[in-house]
PDB file of all heavy atoms in Angstrom:
ATOM      1  N   VAL A 234      87.879  88.792 122.300  1.00  0.00           N
ATOM      2  CA  VAL A 234      88.332  87.615 121.559  1.00  0.00           C
ATOM      3  C   VAL A 234      88.737  86.507 122.530  1.00  0.00           C
ATOM      4  O   VAL A 234      89.507  86.761 123.462  1.00  0.00           O
ATOM      5  CB  VAL A 234      89.534  87.974 120.653  1.00  0.00           C
ATOM      6  CG1 VAL A 234      89.955  86.789 119.805  1.00  0.00           C
ATOM      7  CG2 VAL A 234      89.218  89.175 119.772  1.00  0.00           C
ATOM      8  N   PRO A 235      88.230  85.297 122.313  1.00  0.00           N
ATOM      9  CA  PRO A 235      88.658  84.173 123.154  1.00  0.00           C
ATOM     10  C   PRO A 235      90.176  84.020 123.097  1.00  0.00           C
ATOM     11  O   PRO A 235      90.799  84.179 122.044  1.00  0.00           O
ATOM     12  CB  PRO A 235      87.961  82.967 122.530  1.00  0.00           C
ATOM     13  CG  PRO A 235      86.768  83.544 121.831  1.00  0.00           C
ATOM     14  CD  PRO A 235      87.222  84.888 121.323  1.00  0.00           C
ATOM     15  N   ALA A 236      90.760  83.700 124.239  1.00  0.00           N
ATOM     16  CA  ALA A 236      92.216  83.616 124.358  1.00  0.00           C
ATOM     17  C   ALA A 236      92.831  82.686 123.328  1.00  0.00           C
ATOM     18  O   ALA A 236      93.904  82.974 122.789  1.00  0.00           O
ATOM     19  CB  ALA A 236      92.593  83.172 125.772  1.00  0.00           C
ATOM     20  N   ASP A 237      92.152  81.595 122.994  1.00  0.00           N
ATOM     21  CA  ASP A 237      92.738  80.649 122.047  1.00  0.00           C
ATOM     22  C   ASP A 237      92.683  81.140 120.599  1.00  0.00           C
ATOM     23  O   ASP A 237      93.232  80.501 119.706  1.00  0.00           O
ATOM     24  CB  ASP A 237      92.089  79.268 122.174  1.00  0.00           C
ATOM     25  CG  ASP A 237      90.607  79.258 121.809  1.00  0.00           C
ATOM     26  OD1 ASP A 237      89.996  80.342 121.688  1.00  0.00           O
ATOM     27  OD2 ASP A 237      90.058  78.151 121.649  1.00  0.00           O
ATOM     28  N   GLN A 238      92.042  82.278 120.363  1.00  0.00           N
ATOM     29  CA  GLN A 238      91.980  82.848 119.016  1.00  0.00           C
ATOM     30  C   GLN A 238      92.845  84.104 118.877  1.00  0.00           C
ATOM     31  O   GLN A 238      92.805  84.783 117.851  1.00  0.00           O
ATOM     32  CB  GLN A 238      90.533  83.171 118.649  1.00  0.00           C
ATOM     33  CG  GLN A 238      89.673  81.929 118.545  1.00  0.00           C
ATOM     34  CD  GLN A 238      88.230  82.269 118.214  1.00  0.00           C
ATOM     35  OE1 GLN A 238      87.932  83.286 117.602  1.00  0.00           O
ATOM     36  NE2 GLN A 238      87.321  81.404 118.628  1.00  0.00           N
ATOM     37  N   VAL A 239      93.598  84.400 119.922  1.00  0.00           N
ATOM     38  CA  VAL A 239      94.512  85.545 119.919  1.00  0.00           C
ATOM     39  C   VAL A 239      95.917  84.993 119.717  1.00  0.00           C
ATOM     40  O   VAL A 239      96.373  84.151 120.479  1.00  0.00           O
ATOM     41  CB  VAL A 239      94.421  86.323 121.252  1.00  0.00           C
ATOM     42  CG1 VAL A 239      95.485  87.399 121.322  1.00  0.00           C
ATOM     43  CG2 VAL A 239      93.036  86.923 121.426  1.00  0.00           C
ATOM     44  N   HIS A 240      96.587  85.464 118.664  1.00  0.00           N
ATOM     45  CA  HIS A 240      97.925  84.985 118.331  1.00  0.00           C
ATOM     46  C   HIS A 240      98.927  86.102 118.596  1.00  0.00           C
ATOM     47  O   HIS A 240      99.045  87.034 117.797  1.00  0.00           O
ATOM     48  CB  HIS A 240      97.993  84.543 116.869  1.00  0.00           C
ATOM     49  CG  HIS A 240      96.901  83.587 116.494  1.00  0.00           C
ATOM     50  ND1 HIS A 240      96.937  82.252 116.845  1.00  0.00           N
ATOM     51  CD2 HIS A 240      95.731  83.776 115.845  1.00  0.00           C
ATOM     52  CE1 HIS A 240      95.839  81.658 116.403  1.00  0.00           C
ATOM     53  NE2 HIS A 240      95.093  82.567 115.796  1.00  0.00           N
ATOM     54  N   GLU A 241      99.627  85.999 119.718  1.00  0.00           N
ATOM     55  CA  GLU A 241     100.614  87.021 120.050  1.00  0.00           C
ATOM     56  C   GLU A 241     101.818  86.858 119.128  1.00  0.00           C
ATOM     57  O   GLU A 241     102.244  85.738 118.834  1.00  0.00           O
ATOM     58  CB  GLU A 241     101.047  86.896 121.507  1.00  0.00           C
ATOM     59  CG  GLU A 241     101.822  88.110 121.971  1.00  0.00           C
ATOM     60  CD  GLU A 241     101.937  88.202 123.490  1.00  0.00           C
ATOM     61  OE1 GLU A 241     101.130  87.582 124.196  1.00  0.00           O
ATOM     62  OE2 GLU A 241     102.843  88.903 123.941  1.00  0.00           O
ATOM     63  N   ILE A 242     102.331  87.980 118.651  1.00  0.00           N
ATOM     64  CA  ILE A 242     103.495  87.934 117.760  1.00  0.00           C
ATOM     65  C   ILE A 242     104.630  88.730 118.388  1.00  0.00           C
ATOM     66  O   ILE A 242     104.414  89.590 119.238  1.00  0.00           O
ATOM     67  CB  ILE A 242     103.160  88.466 116.343  1.00  0.00           C
ATOM     68  CG1 ILE A 242     102.649  89.907 116.385  1.00  0.00           C
ATOM     69  CG2 ILE A 242     102.153  87.559 115.665  1.00  0.00           C
ATOM     70  CD1 ILE A 242     102.450  90.523 115.022  1.00  0.00           C
ATOM     71  N   ASP A 243     105.829  88.419 117.961  1.00  0.00           N
ATOM     72  CA  ASP A 243     107.022  89.074 118.486  1.00  0.00           C
ATOM     73  C   ASP A 243     107.251  90.380 117.724  1.00  0.00           C
ATOM     74  O   ASP A 243     108.048  90.435 116.788  1.00  0.00           O
ATOM     75  CB  ASP A 243     108.227  88.145 118.357  1.00  0.00           C
ATOM     76  CG  ASP A 243     109.485  88.736 118.981  1.00  0.00           C
ATOM     77  OD1 ASP A 243     109.359  89.637 119.838  1.00  0.00           O
ATOM     78  OD2 ASP A 243     110.587  88.292 118.613  1.00  0.00           O
ATOM     79  N   MET A 244     106.485  91.393 118.106  1.00  0.00           N
ATOM     80  CA  MET A 244     106.591  92.704 117.466  1.00  0.00           C
ATOM     81  C   MET A 244     106.279  93.759 118.518  1.00  0.00           C
ATOM     82  O   MET A 244     105.337  93.606 119.290  1.00  0.00           O
ATOM     83  CB  MET A 244     105.601  92.821 116.304  1.00  0.00           C
ATOM     84  CG  MET A 244     105.635  94.170 115.596  1.00  0.00           C
ATOM     85  SD  MET A 244     104.413  94.301 114.262  1.00  0.00           S
ATOM     86  CE  MET A 244     105.156  93.253 113.033  1.00  0.00           C
ATOM     87  N   SER A 245     107.070  94.812 118.536  1.00  0.00           N
ATOM     88  CA  SER A 245     106.803  95.881 119.499  1.00  0.00           C
ATOM     89  C   SER A 245     105.551  96.637 119.082  1.00  0.00           C
ATOM     90  O   SER A 245     105.185  96.680 117.897  1.00  0.00           O
ATOM     91  CB  SER A 245     107.990  96.841 119.572  1.00  0.00           C
ATOM     92  OG  SER A 245     108.083  97.604 118.379  1.00  0.00           O
ATOM     93  N   VAL A 246     104.896  97.231 120.056  1.00  0.00           N
ATOM     94  CA  VAL A 246     103.714  98.046 119.772  1.00  0.00           C
ATOM     95  C   VAL A 246     104.091  99.204 118.854  1.00  0.00           C
ATOM     96  O   VAL A 246     103.380  99.510 117.902  1.00  0.00           O
ATOM     97  CB  VAL A 246     103.070  98.545 121.086  1.00  0.00           C
ATOM     98  CG1 VAL A 246     101.988  99.567 120.812  1.00  0.00           C
ATOM     99  CG2 VAL A 246     102.523  97.372 121.893  1.00  0.00           C
ATOM    100  N   ARG A 247     105.225  99.800 119.099  1.00  0.00           N
ATOM    101  CA  ARG A 247     105.699 100.922 118.268  1.00  0.00           C
ATOM    102  C   ARG A 247     105.814 100.489 116.810  1.00  0.00           C
ATOM    103  O   ARG A 247     105.360 101.179 115.900  1.00  0.00           O
ATOM    104  CB  ARG A 247     107.037 101.431 118.785  1.00  0.00           C
ATOM    105  CG  ARG A 247     107.637 102.558 117.980  1.00  0.00           C
ATOM    106  CD  ARG A 247     108.919 103.055 118.609  1.00  0.00           C
ATOM    107  NE  ARG A 247     108.654 103.735 119.847  1.00  0.00           N
ATOM    108  CZ  ARG A 247     108.480 105.056 119.956  1.00  0.00           C
ATOM    109  NH1 ARG A 247     108.570 105.807 118.892  1.00  0.00           N
ATOM    110  NH2 ARG A 247     108.232 105.607 121.098  1.00  0.00           N
ATOM    111  N   ARG A 248     106.411  99.347 116.573  1.00  0.00           N
ATOM    112  CA  ARG A 248     106.582  98.859 115.189  1.00  0.00           C
ATOM    113  C   ARG A 248     105.223  98.525 114.570  1.00  0.00           C
ATOM    114  O   ARG A 248     104.982  98.785 113.404  1.00  0.00           O
ATOM    115  CB  ARG A 248     107.497  97.642 115.181  1.00  0.00           C
ATOM    116  CG  ARG A 248     107.794  97.148 113.797  1.00  0.00           C
ATOM    117  CD  ARG A 248     108.842  96.066 113.832  1.00  0.00           C
ATOM    118  NE  ARG A 248     109.008  95.495 112.507  1.00  0.00           N
ATOM    119  CZ  ARG A 248     109.523  94.314 112.287  1.00  0.00           C
ATOM    120  NH1 ARG A 248     109.947  93.561 113.291  1.00  0.00           N
ATOM    121  NH2 ARG A 248     109.644  93.856 111.055  1.00  0.00           N
ATOM    122  N   GLY A 249     104.330  97.939 115.359  1.00  0.00           N
ATOM    123  CA  GLY A 249     102.985  97.625 114.866  1.00  0.00           C
ATOM    124  C   GLY A 249     102.235  98.873 114.438  1.00  0.00           C
ATOM    125  O   GLY A 249     101.608  98.903 113.380  1.00  0.00           O
TER     126      GLY A 249
END
Side-chain angles (χ1 to χ4, degrees):
V234 184
D237 64 347
Q238 295 179 27
V239 173
H240 309 283
E241 193 164 339
I242 59 174
D243 184 21
M244 179 182 287
S245 70
V246 171
R247 178 177 291 266
R248 184 172 174 201

